[in-house]
PDB file of all heavy atoms in Angstrom:
ATOM      1  N   ILE L  51     107.315 112.671 224.595  1.00 98.00           N
ATOM      2  CA  ILE L  51     107.419 111.322 225.135  1.00 98.00           C
ATOM      3  C   ILE L  51     106.541 110.435 224.414  1.00 98.00           C
ATOM      4  O   ILE L  51     105.333 110.800 224.173  1.00 98.00           O
ATOM      5  CB  ILE L  51     107.081 111.303 226.665  1.00 98.00           C
ATOM      6  CG1 ILE L  51     108.224 112.027 227.461  1.00 98.00           C
ATOM      7  CG2 ILE L  51     106.996 109.859 227.165  1.00 98.00           C
ATOM      8  CD1 ILE L  51     107.996 112.086 228.981  1.00 98.00           C
ATOM      9  N   GLU L  52     107.052 109.316 223.889  1.00 98.00           N
ATOM     10  CA  GLU L  52     106.245 108.415 223.066  1.00 98.00           C
ATOM     11  C   GLU L  52     106.132 107.101 223.872  1.00 98.00           C
ATOM     12  O   GLU L  52     107.123 106.451 224.167  1.00 98.00           O
ATOM     13  CB  GLU L  52     107.037 108.177 221.793  1.00 98.00           C
ATOM     14  CG  GLU L  52     106.309 107.378 220.771  1.00 98.00           C
ATOM     15  CD  GLU L  52     107.186 107.294 219.446  1.00 98.00           C
ATOM     16  OE1 GLU L  52     107.170 108.248 218.695  1.00 98.00           O
ATOM     17  OE2 GLU L  52     107.856 106.261 219.242  1.00 98.00           O
ATOM     18  N   LEU L  53     104.938 106.734 224.249  1.00 98.00           N
ATOM     19  CA  LEU L  53     104.735 105.449 224.887  1.00 98.00           C
ATOM     20  C   LEU L  53     104.407 104.450 223.784  1.00 98.00           C
ATOM     21  O   LEU L  53     103.586 104.751 222.880  1.00 98.00           O
ATOM     22  CB  LEU L  53     103.515 105.540 225.837  1.00 98.00           C
ATOM     23  CG  LEU L  53     103.625 106.538 226.960  1.00 98.00           C
ATOM     24  CD1 LEU L  53     102.374 106.493 227.822  1.00 98.00           C
ATOM     25  CD2 LEU L  53     104.867 106.414 227.841  1.00 98.00           C
ATOM     26  N   LEU L  54     105.028 103.319 223.864  1.00 98.00           N
ATOM     27  CA  LEU L  54     104.848 102.238 222.781  1.00 98.00           C
ATOM     28  C   LEU L  54     104.432 100.950 223.369  1.00 98.00           C
ATOM     29  O   LEU L  54     105.089 100.431 224.257  1.00 98.00           O
ATOM     30  CB  LEU L  54     106.157 102.048 222.024  1.00 98.00           C
ATOM     31  CG  LEU L  54     106.887 103.231 221.363  1.00 98.00           C
ATOM     32  CD1 LEU L  54     108.043 103.601 222.181  1.00 98.00           C
ATOM     33  CD2 LEU L  54     107.299 102.877 219.992  1.00 98.00           C
ATOM     34  N   GLU L  55     103.344 100.382 222.804  1.00 98.00           N
ATOM     35  CA  GLU L  55     102.941  98.999 223.129  1.00 98.00           C
ATOM     36  C   GLU L  55     103.118  98.184 221.875  1.00 98.00           C
ATOM     37  O   GLU L  55     102.722  98.573 220.754  1.00 98.00           O
ATOM     38  CB  GLU L  55     101.529  98.953 223.560  1.00 98.00           C
ATOM     39  CG  GLU L  55     100.994  97.632 223.993  1.00 98.00           C
ATOM     40  CD  GLU L  55      99.470  97.628 224.158  1.00 98.00           C
ATOM     41  OE1 GLU L  55      98.964  97.999 225.198  1.00 98.00           O
ATOM     42  OE2 GLU L  55      98.747  97.276 223.153  1.00 98.00           O
ATOM     43  N   GLY L  56     103.673  97.025 221.999  1.00 98.00           N
ATOM     44  CA  GLY L  56     103.819  96.046 220.832  1.00 98.00           C
ATOM     45  C   GLY L  56     102.491  95.458 220.452  1.00 98.00           C
ATOM     46  O   GLY L  56     101.670  95.242 221.390  1.00 98.00           O
ATOM     47  N   THR L  57     102.297  95.227 219.164  1.00 98.00           N
ATOM     48  CA  THR L  57     100.951  94.661 218.759  1.00 98.00           C
ATOM     49  C   THR L  57     101.084  93.185 218.418  1.00 98.00           C
ATOM     50  O   THR L  57     100.116  92.623 217.863  1.00 98.00           O
ATOM     51  CB  THR L  57     100.390  95.521 217.633  1.00 98.00           C
ATOM     52  OG1 THR L  57     101.344  95.611 216.593  1.00 98.00           O
ATOM     53  CG2 THR L  57      99.918  96.918 218.079  1.00 98.00           C
ATOM     54  N   SER L  58     102.294  92.698 218.449  1.00 98.00           N
ATOM     55  CA  SER L  58     102.409  91.255 218.118  1.00 98.00           C
ATOM     56  C   SER L  58     103.602  90.758 218.961  1.00 98.00           C
ATOM     57  O   SER L  58     104.473  91.486 219.429  1.00 98.00           O
ATOM     58  CB  SER L  58     102.607  90.985 216.669  1.00 98.00           C
ATOM     59  OG  SER L  58     103.823  91.492 216.286  1.00 98.00           O
ATOM     60  N   GLU L  59     103.742  89.404 219.006  1.00 97.00           N
ATOM     61  CA  GLU L  59     104.853  88.772 219.766  1.00 97.00           C
ATOM     62  C   GLU L  59     106.179  89.111 219.137  1.00 97.00           C
ATOM     63  O   GLU L  59     107.170  89.075 219.850  1.00 97.00           O
ATOM     64  CB  GLU L  59     104.617  87.302 219.889  1.00 97.00           C
ATOM     65  CG  GLU L  59     103.708  86.746 221.003  1.00 97.00           C
ATOM     66  CD  GLU L  59     104.106  87.341 222.341  1.00 97.00           C
ATOM     67  OE1 GLU L  59     105.265  87.144 222.755  1.00 97.00           O
ATOM     68  OE2 GLU L  59     103.237  88.036 223.028  1.00 97.00           O
ATOM     69  N   ASP L  60     106.208  89.317 217.826  1.00 97.00           N
ATOM     70  CA  ASP L  60     107.481  89.591 217.148  1.00 97.00           C
ATOM     71  C   ASP L  60     107.718  91.097 217.038  1.00 97.00           C
ATOM     72  O   ASP L  60     108.684  91.467 216.339  1.00 97.00           O
ATOM     73  CB  ASP L  60     107.588  88.823 215.851  1.00 97.00           C
ATOM     74  CG  ASP L  60     106.510  89.328 214.812  1.00 97.00           C
ATOM     75  OD1 ASP L  60     105.482  89.957 215.244  1.00 97.00           O
ATOM     76  OD2 ASP L  60     106.709  89.022 213.590  1.00 97.00           O
ATOM     77  N   SER L  61     106.955  91.905 217.678  1.00 98.00           N
ATOM     78  CA  SER L  61     107.176  93.382 217.648  1.00 98.00           C
ATOM     79  C   SER L  61     108.478  93.630 218.487  1.00 98.00           C
ATOM     80  O   SER L  61     108.741  92.994 219.517  1.00 98.00           O
ATOM     81  CB  SER L  61     106.055  94.136 218.349  1.00 98.00           C
ATOM     82  OG  SER L  61     106.400  95.340 218.879  1.00 98.00           O
ATOM     83  N   ALA L  62     109.325  94.566 218.061  1.00 98.00           N
ATOM     84  CA  ALA L  62     110.536  94.949 218.781  1.00 98.00           C
ATOM     85  C   ALA L  62     110.243  95.388 220.215  1.00 98.00           C
ATOM     86  O   ALA L  62     110.993  95.093 221.107  1.00 98.00           O
ATOM     87  CB  ALA L  62     111.222  96.037 218.098  1.00 98.00           C
TER      88      ALA L  62
END
Side-chain angles (χ1 to χ4, degrees):
I51 287 181
E52 184 178 284
L53 304 180
L54 306 103
E55 180 192 277
T57 52
S58 68
E59 275 308 304
D60 63 343
S61 158

